[in-house]
Amino acid sequence: MLSFPNAKINLGLNVIEKRTDGFHNISSCFYPVGWKEILEVIESSNLEFTSSGLLIPGEERDNLCLKAFNILSKDFQIPNVHIHLHKILPIGAGLGGGSADAAFTLKALNKMFNLYLDDTLLEEYAGKLGSDCAFFIRNKPILALGKGDQFEEISLDLSQKHIVLVYPNIHISTQEAYAGIRPQKPVVPVKEIIEKYDISEWKELLINDFEKSIFPKYPQIQRIKEKLYTEGALYASMTGSGSSVYGIFNQVPDIKSIFPEYSTWTPEK
């Protein structure tokens, strides 16, 4: 079975408080975007994971796709599979690529082996794999709370806008990003900004808390955001804990010529 795990961006990201379990409570709007990679799952005599494209660091046994198989195989008698991932989304870029791969693996196995798990049950399994894995089960705009695994509906439609992404070839680990964070409640909540304010007003209101500590350390990321505004972005921000930056436009700019030294993605015209 072939599927295409996609990236997500964060529209606003407030780190509100540190939890007793060591994680943080956040508030953010998760929004799916069309930058995708390729995932194939087929039956096999042995359980196997292979990859091509971008190099995936770490041990194979720690791969989230394999963990997705293992978490289902504990509860269901499913045959071994060969999982092949063509990795396209940059790692440590705040795009949720690994989480998407895990969620899409769960969905593929559910369909291949007729497990008949609904989205709510799939989200429960996905939540055991990572904080934002569950988002990619339904894969629609949502307000994420808690560790990023508690969801509320949000009214948002950017289908008439154009989202572009710029990855400055900088890997920022979650640990590094959170090291510079001082949790606090926002003046205006993310949901209120998105639902009650025009996108032209987001620039001064919709904040990614990680920018405050990441920008001084990596000024090129801040320059990308500023350049996107110069090129006409209605709103621009770093996504997640970095380092990718996105811009929302009325018209798609020639992003590759603007940032020739970086990896970029634009929607098909």
Side-chain angles (χ1 to χ4, degrees):
M1 175 173 287
L2 201 62
S3 61
F4 302 90
N6 58 276
K8 72 164 179 64
I9 58 172
N10 295 76
L11 296 167
L13 203 173
N14 301 139
V15 183
I16 297 172
E17 62 185 354
K18 190 167 184 178
R19 299 159 53 104
T20 56
D21 59 7
F23 290 92
H24 291 79
N25 284 328
I26 68 163
S27 177
S28 179
C29 176
F30 291 174
Y31 195 90
V33 293
W35 199 359
K36 300 176 181 179
E37 38 204 26
I38 305 169
L39 179 72
E40 185 177 38
V41 183
I42 59 174
E43 285 193 48
S44 175
S45 56
N46 298 305
L47 178 60
E48 184 179 7
F49 174 83
T50 57
S51 66
S52 54
L54 297 178
L55 181 66
I56 302 174
E59 297 292 330
E60 181 180 299
R61 65 176 179 271
D62 295 327
N63 185 270
L64 283 172
C65 294
L66 282 179
K67 288 185 175 182
F69 174 88
N70 289 330
I71 203 169
L72 281 184
S73 66
K74 289 180 180 178
D75 293 338
F76 301 93
Q77 290 185 330
I78 55 178
N80 286 328
V81 293
H82 178 186
I83 303 170
H84 183 84
L85 174 66
H86 184 66
K87 188 68 181 170
I88 296 171
L89 298 174
I91 297 167
L95 298 172
S99 297
D101 298 334
F104 274 71
T105 300
L106 290 175
K107 291 193 284 187
L109 295 169
N110 184 46
K111 189 171 183 179
M112 286 173 64
F113 302 122
N114 299 316
L115 304 182
Y116 302 109
L117 297 171
D118 62 18
D119 286 346
T120 299
L121 287 172
L122 283 171
E123 284 176 347
E124 290 182 13
Y125 281 107
K128 298 174 183 178
L129 296 169
S131 294
D132 58 0
C133 288
F135 162 76
F136 291 98
I137 299 298
R138 299 180 200 258
N139 213 12
K140 66 176 186 177
I142 204 79
L143 180 71
L145 304 169
K147 296 186 297 181
D149 58 354
Q150 299 173 23
F151 303 138
E152 288 185 11
E153 295 293 325
I154 193 166
S155 178
L156 175 65
D157 181 8
L158 298 176
S159 60
Q160 301 304 308
K161 306 299 181 184
H162 303 281
I163 299 172
V164 305
L165 287 159
V166 183
Y167 173 61
N169 307 319
I170 297 171
H171 180 284
I172 299 177
S173 69
T174 303
Q175 182 179 4
E176 178 184 4
Y178 272 98
I181 282 290
R182 295 182 63 183
Q184 59 182 350
K185 292 183 178 180
V187 176
V188 186
V190 168
K191 186 173 184 178
E192 181 177 340
I193 295 168
I194 288 175
E195 292 188 335
K196 295 185 178 180
Y197 290 83
D198 187 80
I199 190 172
S200 62
E201 301 176 274
W202 289 4
K203 182 178 180 179
E204 305 301 328
L205 295 170
L206 197 57
I207 305 299
N208 180 336
D209 287 346
F210 289 103
E211 290 184 352
K212 186 174 182 180
S213 59
I214 293 296
F215 281 0
K217 194 171 183 179
Y218 301 101
Q220 58 269 54
I221 301 177
Q222 182 175 8
R223 288 195 292 269
I224 292 171
K225 177 179 176 178
E226 293 169 350
K227 182 64 173 174
L228 289 171
Y229 275 122
T230 300
E231 296 297 325
L234 301 170
Y235 178 72
S237 175
M238 188 175 76
T239 184
S241 54
S243 62
S244 293
V245 181
Y246 64 88
I248 305 174
F249 291 81
N250 280 325
Q251 303 293 331
V252 181
D254 187 0
I255 205 75
K256 289 184 179 179
S257 66
I258 299 169
F259 301 102
E261 71 275 35
Y262 297 142
S263 300
T264 59
W265 178 84
T266 56
E268 294 181 2
K269 297 183 180 180

